[in-house]
Amino acid sequence: MNLKKVASILLSCAVAGTLFTGCGTTNPAQNVEQDTKIGMIKNLNASETLYDSLIRNAEERANIKISNHKYTFYDNLTTLQMGLESGSINEASTYKNVANYLMAKNPNVEFSPKHDYLKLADNFAFAMRAADTALKDSVNASIEEMKNDGTLENLTKTYITDLKFDADPPAVEFETFEGADTIKVGITGDLPPLDLILADGKPAGFNTALLAELGKRLKKNIEVVQFDSAARASALSSQKIDIAFWAIIPVNSDIPNDIDKPVGIELSTPYFKDDIIHINLKK
């Protein structure tokens, strides 16, 4: 997997139940507001205390102090938004496309420029049980096929690049194959426009459209199972689901290699990358 190296400072960062691939700073702000309360979707294996300590350790080793941040974890995007609206947090850390969607839906939310010097990004992948090698191999092969034949680019264009963020993404229909095996896939259903469950109960979004294409290529039936982000690992381990959407994290001296990928879980080839930004309520 391609993980970006830190340019001048390495930070451990997470959001939406996911963590980014690498981050750097080119010109850190010298007068960043202190005691900023930041909300993000809960990590699987990191507590708020551990996350704070990782940030402090990274800053100390780099001999720089960016800000006195205080992190609060939320189970899903809905509760994260509630925390922002209620003033429990000053900012929410999320993906750029999710932020664009939220800002289009809520005119009181805006991009927080205090963190525009941080270069953060996540690579998205599918997570599977390590023992399911045949499934992982077939998923990786399908992702490479979609990259090579332009399908992945077209899905990104339809569900991300050209999507009007002031409207819900279109529902995704799954092709069915009589007598074929069923792959159960866990999604949050609460991370538009990447994946969501519409009011009528139908799945929608980019990840879901990719999933439908995957099922068609594998000639397998797809069953969508909705989970909070933090429940994905246990659902995989207990065989309640076979696949979950995941984000790839860096492995280095500042970030433990098990902070978001438990033992026994393997990741597919990455298929999408999105920047991480902060949003806040307009003053």
Side-chain angles (χ1 to χ4, degrees):
M1 64 184 70
N2 295 321
L3 300 178
K4 299 180 71 176
K5 297 295 183 181
V6 178
S8 60
I9 176 175
L10 181 63
L11 300 178
S12 167
C13 309
V15 64
T18 60
L19 294 171
F20 58 82
T21 56
C23 58
T25 176
T26 55
N27 185 23
Q30 298 301 313
N31 296 307
V32 178
E33 179 183 342
Q34 300 296 299
D35 299 320
T36 302
K37 294 178 290 185
I38 301 175
M40 59 182 65
I41 297 177
K42 186 181 185 301
N43 298 329
L44 291 175
N45 299 320
S47 66
E48 294 164 347
T49 301
L50 173 59
Y51 188 81
D52 285 337
S53 69
L54 291 173
I55 292 293
R56 286 195 303 272
N57 291 340
E59 291 175 344
E60 288 173 2
R61 274 190 283 273
N63 195 29
I64 188 170
K65 184 65 176 177
I66 292 179
S67 175
N68 185 24
H69 291 164
K70 177 63 178 177
Y71 295 91
T72 301
F73 293 165
Y74 291 85
D75 289 335
N76 49 54
L77 184 65
T78 297
T79 55
L80 177 61
Q81 291 181 83
M82 292 172 62
L84 187 63
E85 293 282 355
S86 68
S88 298
I89 54 175
N90 305 115
E91 301 176 4
S93 175
T94 188
Y95 296 114
K96 182 178 180 180
N97 284 292
V98 176
N100 287 336
Y101 182 92
L102 296 178
M103 288 187 288
K105 291 285 190 178
N106 185 351
N108 294 321
V109 175
E110 65 180 356
F111 168 68
S112 177
K114 294 196 294 294
H115 298 87
D116 61 358
Y117 54 83
L118 293 177
K119 307 303 179 184
L120 318 177
D122 262 2
N123 279 326
F124 290 80
F126 293 109
M128 291 154 280
R129 289 180 292 274
D132 293 341
T133 54
L135 177 60
K136 180 183 176 182
D137 290 345
S138 62
V139 167
N140 282 338
S142 295
I143 292 174
E144 291 302 323
E145 288 176 2
M146 284 186 265
K147 288 179 178 179
N148 294 333
D149 65 19
T151 300
L152 187 57
E153 181 179 356
N154 290 334
L155 289 175
T156 304
K157 182 178 176 64
T158 299
Y159 289 91
I160 298 292
T161 309
D162 293 346
L163 182 69
K164 302 301 182 183
F165 287 109
D166 57 351
D168 286 330
V172 174
E173 299 294 335
F174 291 94
E175 190 171 344
T176 58
F177 301 90
E178 185 175 356
D181 293 336
T182 296
I183 300 175
K184 295 183 179 180
V185 182
I187 70 172
T188 67
D190 188 41
L191 201 66
L194 300 177
D195 67 72
L196 72 157
I197 302 297
L198 299 174
D200 61 4
K202 293 183 178 180
F206 169 71
N207 283 339
T208 317
L210 180 69
L211 184 60
E213 180 66 25
L214 180 66
K216 183 169 64 175
R217 290 174 185 251
L218 297 180
K219 291 183 170 50
K220 305 285 188 182
N221 296 313
I222 301 295
E223 179 182 344
V224 171
V225 184
Q226 191 171 3
F227 284 98
D228 279 342
S229 181
R232 296 169 301 162
S234 60
L236 275 171
S237 299
S238 63
Q239 300 188 12
K240 292 179 180 178
I241 58 175
D242 304 301
I243 291 176
F245 293 119
W246 217 272
I248 298 174
I249 67 171
V251 176
N252 46 61
S253 60
D254 290 310
I255 304 174
N257 60 10
D258 63 347
I259 192 173
D260 195 48
K261 190 176 78 66
V263 174
I265 301 298
E266 296 292 337
L267 301 178
S268 73
T269 301
Y271 60 82
F272 181 65
K273 182 178 180 179
D274 200 0
D275 295 334
I276 293 176
I277 68 171
H278 288 195
I279 56 175
N280 56 248
L281 295 179
K282 293 179 180 179
K283 307 301 183 184

